[in-house]
Amino acid sequence: MDPECSRLLPALCAVLADPRQPVADDTCLEKLLDWFTTVTEAGSSLLLLQENPCLVELLFRVLKSQDLSSRILSFSLRLAGIFAAQEDCFQYLQQGELLPMLFGEVGPLGGAAWTAPAVRSGWIQGLRTLAQHPSALRFLAACGAVDTIFSLQGDSSLFVASAAGQLLVHILDLAMRGPAEGRCSPQACDWPACAQKIVCHIEDSLCSIATPQVTQALNVLTTVFGHCHGLWTQGLWVRLSPLVARLLEKDPVPASHSLVDLLLSVARSSVPSSDRGLWETLAQTLSHLSPTQAGPLALGILKLQDCPQALRTQAFGVLLQPLACVLEAAAQAPGPPGLLGGAAGDPMTVDVLLCSKSACVGLLCCALTHLGLLQPLPQRPSPWPQAPLLGAAVTVLRLCSGSVAPTSDVGGRLCAILVGCGRVQRAALDFLGALSQGAGPQESVMQVFSVLLEYLMSPESSSMVLKKAFQATLRWLLSSPKTPGCCDLDPRTQLFLRELLPVLQKRLCSPCWEVRDSGLEFLTQMTRHWGGQAGFRQALLASEVPELTKQLLQDPESYVRASAVTATGQLSSWGLLAAPASPERPGAQQKSLLVELLHVLCADSEGFPRRAVMQVFTEWLRDGHADVAEDPERFVARVLQAASRDQDWEVRAQGLELALVFLGRLLGPRGSHCPCAVALPEAAPPGTLAQALPEAAPPGTLAQALQVLCRVQLFEFAFRALFDCDRPVAQKSCDLLLFLRAKAAPCGSPQEAGDSPNVASVEATLQRWQAGEQGQPLGYLEPGAVMAVLRSIDLEGLRDTLAESSDHVEKSPRSLLQDMLAAVGVLGENEADCY
Amino acid sequence: MKLYCLSGHPTLPCNVLKFKSTTVMLDCGLDMTSTLNFLPLPLVQSPRLSNLPGWSLKDGNAFLDKELKECSGHVFVDSVPEFCLPETELIDLSTVDVILISNYHCMMALPYITEHTGFTGTVYATEPTVQIGRLLMEELVNFIERVPKAQSASLWKNKDIQRLLPSPLKDAVEVSTWRRCYTMQEVNSALSKIQLVGYSQKIELFGAVQVTPLSSGYALGSSNWIIQSHYEKVSYVSGSSLLTTHPQPMDQASLKNSDVLILTGLTQIPTANPDGMVGEFCSNLALTVRNGGNVLVPCYPSGVIYDLLECLYQYIDSAGLSSIPFYFISPVANSSLEFSQIFAEWLCHNKQTKVYLPEPPFPHAELIQTNKLKHYPSIHGDFSNDFRQPCVVFTGHPSLRFGDVVHFMELWGKSSLNTVIFTEPDFSYLEALAPYQPLAMKCIYCPIDTRLNFIQVSKLLKEVQPLHVVCPEQYTQPPPAQSHRMNLMIDCQPPAMSYRRAEVLALPFKRRYEKIEIMPEVGQGSF
């Protein structure tokens, strides 16, 4: 321990044990405990206590004090636990009878303080930390702690109750780890007394008629099979499984959620390798639980790596049931039995679907979500009924929109329940999107596109439903098969696009900003993937979508403006924005997008659009956008000038990213040591910047490159950013300058300017900047002076300093102790850190 | 206790309740859908309409060709439009003691009742209902009177001839009772019989019955009515809304514990959510205008137009439409816009608080101030000087048979750049458009009906728990076009009693108590 901390510790202990002193806040106490944990992990607790007797004294004083706050008492219990986790220290504390006084019946357990949940929680956590060795087990048995833990399982505080369950598992594991380890006999006589006691308690709880007790037992067992991996767990399951199976005989099955959790936990453990009966229990459970309760179990079973095929089939059937019922109910004519691979709608599921709106919605949403989660997994059931599932998702969506007219009574009632239900619509659209990963028969795919279009067009679709519809549509569009031998979109997709774009057009005019935003995001994604496809280009250019998108740069909602910036940037990259010169007004020059975006960057009052502009500009520079390639130097100069003045640190950071791309273009990409090496994307739009700038400047051209960088005032921007009050900006600038220095180092200095007055003035300005006086400009810099300054700054040192968290000084233990003492006036005010 | 059902239109009701020796008429709505059978009345000579061919029978007999004209396969009566009145024969209307009006749309037949049936009673309505009702009537009379039509067609009404006509003329009901529009004199006389009432005001009728208007949340001054005696309570719910629009919210609590709840005036478009429709309206409007097209919104001069203007007020800047002129053309446009700002006590809470700031409750005042919204009595006069395209025009009549809207349909109908957006749900837009075919302009149907839908009704009935519900027969089964939508009907226990036009219902009251007064002399004699 730091000697200074040792010096401060007695005073702190005195403060903590003094009920008249204001109690330090919880955060400080937690930090203090963290620190003691670190100290005891690094060395001997016994030594710590011997060198700092004030700690033991604190524990004694806490016990004697009558009116101490519950937080200090809780803290002391946890502190004692930390010390007693080492067996020799445990013995040391035992000699002083301190531990029974803290954790036994004579301690807080019997007093008024016990009514505070914080004290009960501290008691449990203290014991949890303490219970690391056989002596602790004996202590627990001797002081009757296990019985108290049993009672705390039903504590009114959920935190306490949960911690009590976990402590029981920990004690059981500790007990079984010792002499019983390696034995999996279910016979209780082989097990340590402490373990026997806990298992008997679990058995009693499982047989209880009170559901909360059953739940507690099931939760404890779930934790056991999830966290304990000894062979004994197999024996435990053999012993308890009959009791668990007996729960299934009750109607309704008690604590079904916890039961499902337990069975899945056991199925994922090593038990199945020794007990094949588990699969039978799982099968029974699937058939006993209601469709809603069985869903999570079915999903869990299907996610298991190794499980009998029959059980998988049964579980898959459970998940398919609700959709099978929907398909059957909505069928216009009686179809073949078992629409979903043999899973015909059973009466029980139909009853749940029709009993109430909430039950119906809950069951359908769960089924759709579970199947959607299963779809991308390698262990999903095979064969996967893609076509019927597509049909079911489409039918659910049509029932929700009221566009299907079922003839059956069940269908009519389902329609009445589901019509306009946004929750089911969202779940079904998500599921439909997930299904895009698989193929489907032509007819089904047509239906999918048709229902998606219906939702995108419908005035009844809420903004969230529309967002999901756009997402699903994008997924289906992007998964459309390519026409063999042709790189363009297939005719069906093109036909769909022609219907889709007018809808998108209308959505971009929606009075609801969320809808406009979703529409723009959809357009951006579509353009990103299809910008080069002739069919898409043709359809888009024939529509008013590009023009509308440009108008949305003036949208009153900043999120929409940001999305419009990204979308127009993407459209422009692919040459999809420039409108042909108007024949009526040949002289009228259309304002270029570059100018408009620069205006957004300089004038927009919100950060999101400005950040979006910087991202677009960075992409444009990286991809060689034609507007940028005309005069990249001027472009970079204007952008950096605007970014350097921006109040938003993300804009400034993005400015440095753009500067880095520019450097890469001038001097070649960063080496492997650099985490964000510049790489051209595969589908880069055509541009001419690559020709305008050399990929990597040969050493001879370094001087010219530096001249360019000086002209665009990149150095002024980077140097300013180096002392930016926002650390990420300073870090990025540091990286950039280090990269530049590394690039220039092998070439030597272009001009020897180390002692020139220019260098001295720059260094002086930088020092003032570092001191916070950022008003003075650097003025025009000579490349030689820049290189000299770069060599003179300790960039590596700066990088290391920046890498440390901003409170690395303030969060030291010494600082913590000082602060806690200062808070109660023991130390002078100026000795405390301000944080 | 009987209910005489004089109207078959569920949202334009006219019923008579005989209750405790009083005869109370509940609303007198005027079914104007009959006008869809007539040719439009153009404000400016329309060569297209003038040159439509006369209709002749299959055998070539052309004796009706002066009365009936054919347009794109549809046959229309070339005459002054006529309206289908409520039943006048089912009950002697001179015996009606009082007429209770629930909202300004449900009083349009009032002059026919008060001026031509020997009615001598009193009409009760709130002030906004009367003022706006007067505007609607004035507009109607103006629309029809300013295009005088010499010809009056009556031959086609002959029953033997009518059955030879094509649909929908063939199927039109009780055409012999159809009447021309009333005059302003009749309107004034009818309105003079109205006594103004305030919400929750209790009005005694002959000491036997008490009637009370309650806020119904649908329109400015719209009311539901409680009609009660000492031991019986009848609630009359007509045109109510639970949505937060401009009127005062609906008073549901006072409807509790009714013996009978008469339920009329539910939404005519139960599948369309008003919010979605407003969104659709704005999107289509913006798309058209951005393309250089004009937008025509056929509408009434009061009601939903206030909400639409408020939405547009918030929307036009975001959609970049600030420079687009909005025109509101109606003989009563000015009065309607001004009236809406002065009935503060009848408005929702948010709008009421604005008055104390002081600010106008509706933002259309600002639109007018900034010249974004201009209003004119008709297309003649100042409007023709100010008219600038592309623009958005709000004008009547929603039936497209009379009013300035006819001119704009003729003017803009040929260009696909223009759009007509239907927001009023009272008329089938396809039937309204029939005499304008072939039509190039785009047609968008965004019916905005804020009245109760079936889900809301179901919740309302659970809340107020009436013993019996009485409603038009249309509400007791799903709409014919959506027979599978079991949620589009009233579902209550015991099942609702339904009525249809010209039917008399005996209301299921069980009289258990009656308050009587015994003269002391009788008492002395008895005991």
Side-chain angles (χ1 to χ4, degrees), chain B residues 408-429:
Chain B
F408 288 102
M409 285 302 297
E410 292 291 323
L411 184 71
W412 290 342
K414 296 172 203 76
S415 168
S416 61
L417 282 179
N418 303 322
T419 306
V420 53
I421 308 182
F422 292 88
T423 56
E424 299 289 355
D426 288 354
F427 301 91
S428 149
Y429 78 103

Side-chain angles (χ1 to χ4, degrees), chain A residues 542-554:
Chain A
S543 76
E544 291 152 39
V545 168
E547 185 52 34
L548 277 173
T549 308
K550 211 171 165 189
Q551 284 179 22
L552 289 174
L553 289 173
Q554 268 87 47

Side-chain angles (χ1 to χ4, degrees), chain B residues 23 51 72 142 159 173 178-179 210 280 433 465 501 520:
Chain B
T23 306
N51 298 329
S72 299
N142 188 304
K159 276 190 179 166
V173 291
W178 289 11
R179 291 287 175 269
Q210 195 181 62
E280 200 72 357
L433 288 169
Q465 296 195 323
R501 187 180 167 106

Side-chain angles (χ1 to χ4, degrees), chain B residues 380-395:
Chain B
H380 300 302
D382 290 345
F383 174 71
S384 41
N385 300 329
D386 299 348
F387 184 46
R388 211 155 41 82
Q389 300 189 72
C391 64
V392 180
V393 171
F394 294 87
T395 190

Side-chain angles (χ1 to χ4, degrees), chain A residues 419 506 509 544 548 551, chain B residues 273 280 290-291 315 484 487:
Chain A
V419 77
K506 196 173 76 181
C509 293
E544 291 152 39
L548 277 173
Q551 284 179 22
Chain B
N273 167 21
E280 200 72 357
R290 278 177 171 161
N291 264 342
Y315 176 66
H484 65 287
N487 56 332

Side-chain angles (χ1 to χ4, degrees), chain A residues 401-402 404-406 412 415-416 419 457-460 502 505-511 516 544 548 551-552 555-556, chain B residues 271-280 282-284 286-287 290-291 315 317-320 455 482 484-487:
Chain A
S401 69
V404 69
C415 186
V419 77
M457 287 168 89
S458 169
E460 299 299 306
Q505 215 163 282
K506 196 173 76 181
R507 293 301 180 194
L508 292 180
C509 293
S510 168
R516 300 197 295 276
E544 291 152 39
L548 277 173
Q551 284 179 22
L552 289 174
D555 199 277
Chain B
T271 53
N273 167 21
D275 284 339
M277 287 299 153
V278 170
E280 200 72 357
C282 291
S283 309
N284 284 296
L287 267 181
R290 278 177 171 161
N291 264 342
Y315 176 66
D317 288 334
S318 73
I455 298 170
Q482 291 165 303
H484 65 287
R485 297 283 297 269
M486 304 304 285
N487 56 332

Side-chain angles (χ1 to χ4, degrees), chain B residues 208-222:
Chain B
V209 174
Q210 195 181 62
V211 294
T212 314
L214 307 170
S215 172
S216 78
Y218 167 56
L220 270 176
S222 66

